[in-house]
Amino acid sequence: MGETTVTPPEGQQKVAPQPVASNAAGQGHLRRMRTPRRPRLWFEMLLIAVSYWTYSLIRNAVPEQKEQALSNADWIWKAEHQLGLAVEESVNHAVNSVTWLIIGMNYYYATLHFVVTLGVLVWLYRAHPGRYAATRLVLFATTAVALVGYYLYPLAPPRLMNGGDFIDTVLVHQTWGSMASGDLKNMSNQFAAMPSMHIGWSVWCGLTIFALARVPWVRVLGLLYPVATLVVIVATANHFWLDAVGGVLCLAFGFTVAWIWYGTLPYALPAVPARGRAGNLLPHKA
């Protein structure tokens, strides 16, 4: 018998199998992660609690390099003198002479750092859910890079300097204005002054309030809050003003991270996400 030859129908071409579009799927997943959505309350509460616990644990686990921290404090103090801006000691003594004022500042230092920051987060969650995650990312990235600063550059606060004439206002007035003074000094790393997260967080709060609040006097208060915080951290001898510069630089890093991830500044995102998690359209509110 002869061989049978099978000829494919004219014009018919073999179709090669298409590769799995894993790239497209991965990009789609990344796009969804970068798309603002309504935050979930239980997740945010858990995230903030775990994040702050982790931050405190790492910050306090950084070795207390006393000699290096005191040496760095001396260097900063000399550098500020060379710049003609070594004002901390004068401010510390002047404010300490007004008892009611310095006591108020001690409690300001101990409380508002947490109260105002949490208050702004709650306000964002309720009034600006579309901007919440991006703005929260700024705060978290700022705090994370600050931990690197604590490890690489241990720094004693002015009140602990050798031979300094600074007044530890918490000890003198027996208030609880600092976790690193009095009976609480063993619960916190005393040499984690650079950068100042009192400034990093307060500037974050101030900028957020100024950018998003609608009432003019509230926006003004937002700008005044970090200014008042700077006065407090200097007057209580907990920080040099250069620590505040470090805090602002960390905040700039935080905004950069959010801008890279979302492609814009957090405040430019819509107040309410265009879509919910299930894909249902939500009304837009500016």
Side-chain angles (χ1 to χ4, degrees), residues 158-224:
R159 58 188 172 74
L160 293 181
M161 286 180 62
N162 286 330
D165 194 27
F166 287 94
I167 301 168
D168 189 331
T169 60
V170 172
L171 290 179
V172 169
H173 299 283
Q174 298 183 346
T175 57
W176 43 273
S178 171
M179 284 291 290
S181 293
D183 295 334
L184 300 177
K185 64 184 179 182
N186 294 323
M187 295 175 60
S188 179
N189 183 357
Q190 299 187 72
F191 304 119
M194 171 68 85
S196 168
M197 279 299 93
H198 271 76
I199 291 300
W201 290 12
S202 67
V203 175
W204 175 86
C205 290
L207 289 177
T208 301
I209 293 170
F210 180 77
L212 301 180
R214 297 180 179 179
V215 181
W217 66 266
V218 174
R219 300 181 72 200
V220 172
L221 282 181
L223 293 181
L224 290 177

Side-chain angles (χ1 to χ4, degrees), residues 52-286:
Y52 184 73
W53 176 81
T54 304
Y55 163 75
S56 299
L57 187 68
I58 296 174
R59 180 182 184 271
N60 296 334
V62 172
E64 293 196 3
Q65 305 171 42
K66 182 175 182 179
E67 290 186 9
Q68 185 61 50
L70 292 172
S71 174
N72 289 339
D74 289 337
W75 185 91
I76 282 189
W77 190 228
K78 289 175 184 176
E80 290 188 356
H81 273 92
Q82 291 174 352
L83 293 171
L85 296 172
V87 300
E88 290 90 340
E89 191 174 290
S90 299
V91 174
N92 175 236
H93 282 259
V95 177
N96 186 69
S97 65
V98 184
T99 303
W100 64 267
L101 181 59
I102 193 59
I103 289 178
M105 286 189 174
N106 283 344
Y107 289 125
Y108 179 116
Y109 186 86
T111 59
L112 292 194
H113 177 53
F114 306 103
V115 172
V116 175
T117 304
L118 286 174
V120 172
L121 282 169
V122 171
W123 172 60
L124 281 170
Y125 177 88
R126 292 176 59 86
H128 300 270
R131 297 164 179 151
Y132 175 87
T135 313
R136 185 244 290 139
L137 176 60
V138 174
L139 184 66
F140 279 30
T142 298
T143 306
V145 76
L147 291 172
V148 179
Y150 299 147
Y151 184 84
L152 297 178
Y153 197 79
L155 180 69
R159 58 188 172 74
L160 293 181
M161 286 180 62
N162 286 330
D165 194 27
F166 287 94
I167 301 168
D168 189 331
T169 60
V170 172
L171 290 179
V172 169
H173 299 283
Q174 298 183 346
T175 57
W176 43 273
S178 171
M179 284 291 290
S181 293
D183 295 334
L184 300 177
K185 64 184 179 182
N186 294 323
M187 295 175 60
S188 179
N189 183 357
Q190 299 187 72
F191 304 119
M194 171 68 85
S196 168
M197 279 299 93
H198 271 76
I199 291 300
W201 290 12
S202 67
V203 175
W204 175 86
C205 290
L207 289 177
T208 301
I209 293 170
F210 180 77
L212 301 180
R214 297 180 179 179
V215 181
W217 66 266
V218 174
R219 300 181 72 200
V220 172
L221 282 181
L223 293 181
L224 290 177
Y225 173 55
V227 176
T229 301
L230 176 60
V231 175
V232 167
I233 67 173
V234 169
T236 56
N238 279 295
H239 287 282
F240 297 98
W241 66 263
L242 277 176
D243 301 344
V245 174
V248 171
L249 291 176
C250 288
L251 182 63
F253 171 83
F255 273 107
T256 301
V257 170
W259 180 78
I260 291 173
W261 183 252
Y262 287 97
T264 186
L265 290 176
Y267 311 133
L269 294 169
V272 177
R275 291 180 180 272
R277 290 190 72 247
N280 298 322
L281 289 175
L282 296 174
H284 175 73
K285 181 172 62 178

